Amino acid sequence: MIRRRVRASATAITAVSFLFLAGCTSAADDVAGGSGAAPVGLEGSTAFNDAKLGELAEAIETALEGRDTSGVRVAMVINSPSAYWAEGRTGMENAARKLGVQADFQAPAGGDLNTQLSILDTLRADRVDGYAVSAVDPAAVRGPVGAAQNEGIGVVAIDSPLSGTPAPVVYLGTPNTEAGRQAGEAMKKLLGGSGKVAVLTGSLTAANATQRIAGFTEALEGSGIEIVDTLNDDADPSKALSNAQTALQANPDLTGMYTVWSYDGPAAGQAVKSAGKSGQVKIVADDAEPKTVDFVRDGTIQAMVLQRPYQQGYLGVYVLTAMKVLGEDATDALLKPYLEEQDGATTLSSGIGLVTAENLPTYLDDLKKLGVTS
């Protein structure tokens, strides 16, 4: 049985986009060896769900042929201005250019919920045709999303699912419980099935966070790994660093950290490295912020469990444009073969990747082909 203690610290991806998957892994020789090498038995993957989403993008383009899209206005509203979202913004911009639509990127400063609610209200007042949203708090955005839907504005959930809205909202993103489960399986291999682990997260209410933690916990059931702390930073990167330091100080025998939001990985890496415990405290991090990538290179972080934010931006624009130009019924028909039920949400999966030092060069080369730098 896993014992958990929850504590909120008070201290401070066009067609070419889908052809890159057969990249050569020999570039792994360029990554620093030694402690940076992938742990034995931890096999990486960068396939995501790009092949199927490529088919869907082509189907939407075909359906849009001969239609005027120049007046379509869509937006992408994220949950915090993290470096993680640079990839998603590139996807949004590439899709907007491809389809000839207008797309606006909106980020609430500091991940502030009230600011995000204000952004959504403004988009509705401005009569935008549709938006993709990563909710700071899914329950809190039901009102603005419902009002938008009632006025014919298309909505797609990204990064974190939405429920309880007047009309069902398709979730375009990673199946979060499965992502957490894969993180847990990676941690079990890294620790040999026993040890003490802390979890760092940016929220205890956002569905992406709660589902990932649930999947991680499920994967550890029956093992000798104990979750000794779950620390919430309320979308504050500086607090995330403080939480990581607190976890190390409170648990001198800590052997692992699982980081749930993108900036939590760099926070854990910095804290572990400063404490002189690189390689001793294993880190499995969700998402690939630039500093997280650096820590994978030098062996401070052993694995990244990745979403595909590029697709959340890219396919988000495609789906919203289809909803406006083709109508919801026609769009639903196009999406249906690609949808699955995950975590209680109708999901258009962007897939899950597992990146270690060994396959990191392949992953970064893939991103460069999309125009994304890391």
Side-chain angles (χ1 to χ4, degrees), residues 166-188:
V169 175
V170 168
Y171 168 55
L172 167 57
T174 296
N176 286 297
T177 299
E178 178 57 26
R181 187 178 297 114
Q182 291 193 24
E185 293 296 336
M187 185 65 76
K188 284 197 296 187

Side-chain angles (χ1 to χ4, degrees), residues 27-150:
D29 296 336
D30 297 331
V31 179
S35 63
V40 175
L42 197 56
E43 184 176 352
S45 170
T46 58
F48 298 97
N49 195 30
D50 291 339
K52 287 187 177 180
L53 295 187
E55 292 176 3
L56 175 56
E58 290 179 359
I60 292 175
E61 283 185 27
T62 298
L64 290 171
E65 284 181 0
R67 305 292 190 103
D68 182 11
T69 60
S70 61
V72 176
R73 297 167 53 235
V74 299
M76 181 177 182
V77 184
I78 62 170
N79 55 3
S80 67
S82 162
Y84 162 81
W85 284 110
E87 182 181 330
R89 183 171 190 168
T90 299
M92 179 201 77
E93 292 169 347
N94 286 351
R97 282 193 295 269
K98 179 73 173 178
L99 296 181
V101 305
Q102 303 173 57
D104 184 29
F105 185 84
Q106 296 271 5
D112 182 70
L113 172 60
N114 289 329
T115 301
Q116 186 178 65
L117 295 176
S118 177
I119 289 171
L120 298 182
D121 285 337
T122 298
L123 289 173
R124 179 176 58 83
D126 287 347
R127 302 297 302 165
V128 70
D129 294 312
Y131 60 73
V133 58
S134 172
V136 174
D137 183 336
V141 304
R142 287 174 187 162
V145 167
Q149 289 180 315
N150 290 336

Side-chain angles (χ1 to χ4, degrees), residues 23 57 60 107 117 141 223 244 308 315 362 370-371:
I60 292 175
L117 295 176
V141 304
S223 73
R308 193 53 130 182
L315 257 294
T362 298
L370 300 172

Side-chain angles (χ1 to χ4, degrees), residues 4 44 47 86 89 100 104 108-109 116 119 146 168 182 196-197 221 268 287 304 308 316 327 352 361:
R4 306 175 62 203
R89 183 171 190 168
D104 184 29
Q116 186 178 65
I119 289 171
Q182 291 193 24
K196 294 184 177 181
V197 174
E221 290 287 355
D287 306 328
M304 298 184 295
R308 193 53 130 182
I352 302 168

Side-chain angles (χ1 to χ4, degrees), residues 152-223:
I153 296 172
V155 180
V156 171
I158 57 173
D159 190 48
S160 185
L162 289 175
S163 62
T165 53
V169 175
V170 168
Y171 168 55
L172 167 57
T174 296
N176 286 297
T177 299
E178 178 57 26
R181 187 178 297 114
Q182 291 193 24
E185 293 296 336
M187 185 65 76
K188 284 197 296 187
K189 290 180 180 180
L190 290 167
L191 298 185
S194 64
K196 294 184 177 181
V197 174
V199 176
L200 306 183
T201 183
S203 173
L204 292 173
T205 58
N208 56 357
T210 60
Q211 290 167 355
R212 291 175 199 172
I213 294 170
F216 182 77
T217 303
E218 178 183 326
L220 300 185
E221 290 287 355
S223 73

